[in-house]
Amino acid sequence: MCLISNLVAATIILLPFATAITAPTLTGPAIPLGTGTYPRLTKLSDGSLLAIYTDSRSGNHTLGVSKSTNNGASFSPISIVDTGPSTSRDIDNGFLHQLPGGKVLAAFRNHNGPVGGPFTFYRITICISSDLGKSWTYLSTPAGDPQGPGGKTGIWEPFLEDALDGSLQLYYSRENNDDDQDSLLRRSKDGGATWTSAQTISGAELTNARDGMLGVARIAANSQSKLAVFESGVAGRFTIHTVRSDNDGLSWPVSSRSTVYEPPAGKSAGSPQIVRVGSRLVASFGTNEDGGVWPEGAMKVVVSEDQGRTWGAKTQIHPLPAMWSGMLEIDATSFWAVYETGGVSFAQKMRF
Ligand SMILES: *[C@@H]1O[C@H](CO)[C@@H](O)[C@H](O)[C@H]1NC(C)=O
């Protein structure tokens, strides 16, 4: 009896106070960004919003750009970055980024070969706009790989971020073979015109994991510490992870690899992004845990209030189907969640 009482008392004392993580709520209607998929959104220094998406109508794959000058209440198409016949070119995975000087970059995958492959050459291309997205010219090809053995060495899903030293960082994913893909980083000191060789930031120690679809966020404003989020696929099942750098991307210790979200056994979560919203971090992903044939699923987010150590408050942004999630911080308590459903890309305002 005495022993049991002591155990009960000890259990009560040792239980930590569980502080519930705050979940964001949907605010207002989903706003159409454009006809197409893989949406990404960025804010320009004049306060307008630019969206990019892949339009596959008309027998071409086309990177469309739309703009909002009313804080996201509506978007209108303003330009295309590049277009090419779907039978001979695979143009997709657009990502927009305004340089500190005002010019806007569009990075994307730009492969030779029909959409869906096989591809004879893989590349990441960057185009530049000097008029806030109205027109685009070619700038550089930071990465290119010929078709390797078995049609591999694919490169995918560019993500651009300004480093604290004024240089530019390009994150993307590269296949080593069917079962092994790594996360890579290159740097530019001339606004994206020329690039360093690639540094592997996740997956170098693994040969059975497809790490891919990178996004990066600082854990606090101007912090040297940041998290790169990515999906990792092992034997066809995908889960969400981060690696962390505490020196603005110079090093990414293998020991920092940590799990953000793992769905129930047999289900997948993938296509993540990450954004800092005030003191919180938000990670988005698509998951088939409630239904859908992978990679089809619902878009959800999880929240961290301890700078990415733990995650919770899982919140659905849009039910099945909602594909290729992206996010953009609005202010310290709200953000845009973007996704494609039914062939149209949307932005959903979320608020804490
Ligand atoms: C398709 O792409 C080609 C090559 O860039 C271009 O000449 C053509 O106008 C495009 N067609 C459509 C319908 O966009």
Side-chain angles (χ1 to χ4, degrees), residues 11-34:
T11 304
I12 290 167
I13 290 161
L14 290 174
L15 270 178
F17 287 100
T19 315
I21 297 175
T22 305
T25 52
L26 279 71
T27 304
I31 310 293
L33 298 173

Side-chain angles (χ1 to χ4, degrees), residues 57-62 80 82-85 89:
R57 297 172 298 176
S58 315
N60 276 24
H61 260 207
T62 301
I80 66 169
D82 198 2
T83 184
R89 290 179 66 197

Side-chain angles (χ1 to χ4, degrees), residues 47-86:
S48 60
L49 297 169
L50 272 193
I52 191 167
Y53 45 88
T54 307
D55 182 350
S56 56
R57 297 172 298 176
S58 315
N60 276 24
H61 260 207
T62 301
L63 289 174
V65 174
S66 64
K67 183 168 190 162
S68 172
T69 53
N70 54 13
N71 298 316
S74 61
F75 285 78
S76 306
I78 60 162
S79 63
I80 66 169
V81 176
D82 198 2
T83 184
S86 307

